[in-house]
Amino acid sequence: MTYRELLLSLRRRALPILLASVLCGAAFFSVTAFLLPERYAASTVFCVRNRTGYEEGITSADLAACESLTASCITLMTGSEIMSLASESLGSMTESALKSRLSFENMGAGVFRMSVTDGDAERARAAALAITETSVLRIPEAINAGALTVIDGVSVTPLARPAARNAVIGFAAGLAVSVCFVIFLEARGKKARAARVPCEGKDGN
């Protein structure tokens, strides 16, 4: 099959291809928007400081030191000690399950956000509180930092569902499958027509 033949075939079937693509996009959108369970994120914003007080002001060296401590704090928060203590206080969540729900955002200058994602809002809040309380008590001593403080307490928000993105993915998937199906039909039809030609020639003789 030449490219010209393929393009002509796709053009003849443009409406069914477009219809199948739209239906796939609508199906992906509907599943994401209405059938998938709600997810929640419980977030806390921390601030780590390299010393307890800045009577003479905070310098660029202090800010750099605070920034370097952020990675250490995140490592310790996801470490076995903090995860074990937090999961014990929760009771209903294992250490590995708790760790898999964690995510972090480095906001610069020693400030970072920790988030716990879960399908239950209260469970996400409880997990974030458990990690926060354990971290504030244990981490400063472990990294010889001045202080690890909470500057924005635990807040729970529903996560946005990626319905629009999944609709585009569904449309693209439907388009690709439809085009492949048309190519398959054309190739099979061309093969069948080629097989009939010798038979018709023999019948004519």
Side-chain angles (χ1 to χ4, degrees), residues 40-60:
Y40 300 89
S43 302
T44 308
V45 178
F46 294 90
C47 179
V48 61
R49 289 293 176 247
N50 61 324
R51 47 197 176 98
T52 53
Y54 299 96
E55 292 79 8
E56 298 178 0
I58 187 167
T59 66
S60 57

Side-chain angles (χ1 to χ4, degrees), residues 25-34 36 160-170:
F28 274 57
F29 177 88
S30 300
V31 169
T32 304
F34 305 113
L36 290 182
R161 297 181 178 183
R165 183 196 67 185
N166 286 353
V168 173
I169 293 174

Side-chain angles (χ1 to χ4, degrees), residues 57-115:
I58 187 167
T59 66
S60 57
D62 289 323
L63 291 175
C66 295
E67 178 66 24
S68 67
L69 288 171
T70 301
S72 300
C73 289
I74 293 174
T75 299
L76 288 170
M77 280 186 177
T78 55
S80 59
E81 182 182 2
I82 301 292
M83 288 292 98
S84 176
L85 291 170
S87 62
E88 283 177 10
S89 67
L90 291 169
S92 61
M93 193 179 298
T94 64
E95 181 180 334
S96 59
L98 180 58
K99 187 175 181 178
S100 68
R101 288 166 168 76
L102 274 179
S103 62
F104 295 89
E105 178 190 356
N106 187 349
M107 304 169 75
V111 179
F112 62 98
R113 177 182 286 112
M114 178 202 72
S115 298

Side-chain angles (χ1 to χ4, degrees), residues 186-200:
E186 284 297 314
R188 190 175 69 172
K190 188 173 182 180
K191 185 177 180 181
R193 288 192 297 271
R196 283 200 302 268
V197 169
C199 295
E200 291 172 358

Side-chain angles (χ1 to χ4, degrees), residues 86-164:
S87 62
E88 283 177 10
S89 67
L90 291 169
S92 61
M93 193 179 298
T94 64
E95 181 180 334
S96 59
L98 180 58
K99 187 175 181 178
S100 68
R101 288 166 168 76
L102 274 179
S103 62
F104 295 89
E105 178 190 356
N106 187 349
M107 304 169 75
V111 179
F112 62 98
R113 177 182 286 112
M114 178 202 72
S115 298
V116 180
T117 305
D118 196 89
D120 183 273
E122 289 306 314
R123 188 166 56 197
R125 184 191 300 275
L129 283 171
I131 296 170
T132 299
E133 292 170 357
T134 306
S135 299
V136 169
L137 289 174
R138 301 246 174 196
I139 287 179
E141 183 180 353
I143 61 176
N144 294 319
L148 176 66
T149 57
V150 175
I151 60 175
D152 190 3
V154 176
S155 60
V156 181
T157 55
L159 294 176
R161 297 181 178 183

